[in-house]
Amino acid sequence: MKHLKLPVKPSMQGKNHIAFKGGTYSVAVTAVVLAIIITINILVSSLPKTITKYDTSSSKLYSITSDTKVVVNALEKDVVINWIVQSGKEDEVIENLLDKYGSLSEHISIVKKNPDIYPDYGYYSGFRV
């Protein structure tokens, strides 16, 4: 069986080559831009919450005041903040605020306990809930 070769116009061959070259360039640029955006997103997400989360309330209710910073800087003994909360029921605002307190000083530590797993934690820790 004979294979018939269809004639190709020389002008069409050049246009296809240019279109292919332009398409390849577009895909490459898109891949590079996407890689840069993903890298920036990963770097920003690794920053601590104290830097990336802002208090947008009008009265700055969830911000650490300068008076609090003075008190925390004057701490000489260790302070443990016990947060008794069920798993999955954590309030993001409280968690963010406790993270801010924990990052202010090495003397402050946050202990999160689930009352379903540790039902007697508060009673035996010296405080009553």
Side-chain angles (χ1 to χ4, degrees):
M1 177 175 233
K2 283 186 172 182
H3 293 282
L4 295 175
K5 205 173 193 181
L6 296 174
V8 178
K9 294 180 184 176
S11 61
M12 289 300 287
Q13 220 171 18
K15 286 182 183 178
N16 287 341
H17 181 69
I18 292 171
F20 179 74
K21 203 174 185 182
T24 305
Y25 178 75
S26 295
V27 169
V29 168
T30 302
V32 168
V33 168
L34 191 60
I36 291 170
I37 290 172
I38 289 172
T39 304
I40 290 172
N41 192 13
I42 289 171
L43 291 174
V44 169
S45 67
S46 68
L47 293 173
K49 288 181 182 178
T50 55
I51 295 173
T52 59
K53 298 267 182 169
Y54 297 105
D55 183 7
T56 57
S57 63
S58 61
S59 61
K60 300 295 181 195
L61 185 61
Y62 306 110
S63 295
I64 305 290
T65 64
S66 59
D67 293 338
T68 302
K69 290 177 184 176
V70 168
V71 170
V72 168
N73 288 332
L75 287 175
E76 295 176 3
K77 294 183 179 180
D78 291 340
V79 175
V80 177
I81 299 174
N82 292 288
W83 186 23
I84 300 174
V85 62
Q86 289 178 326
S87 181
K89 306 266 179 158
E90 296 93 346
D91 184 4
E92 188 177 330
V93 174
I94 293 174
E95 187 169 13
N96 188 20
L97 191 60
L98 289 175
D99 286 343
K100 286 180 184 179
Y101 274 107
S103 67
L104 285 177
S105 172
E106 293 178 3
H107 289 290
I108 296 178
S109 61
I110 312 296
V111 176
K112 182 164 81 170
K113 292 290 184 179
N114 186 342
D116 295 333
I117 298 172
Y118 304 99
D120 295 331
Y121 176 74
Y123 184 77
Y124 291 114
S125 297
F127 65 94
R128 302 205 191 309
V129 180

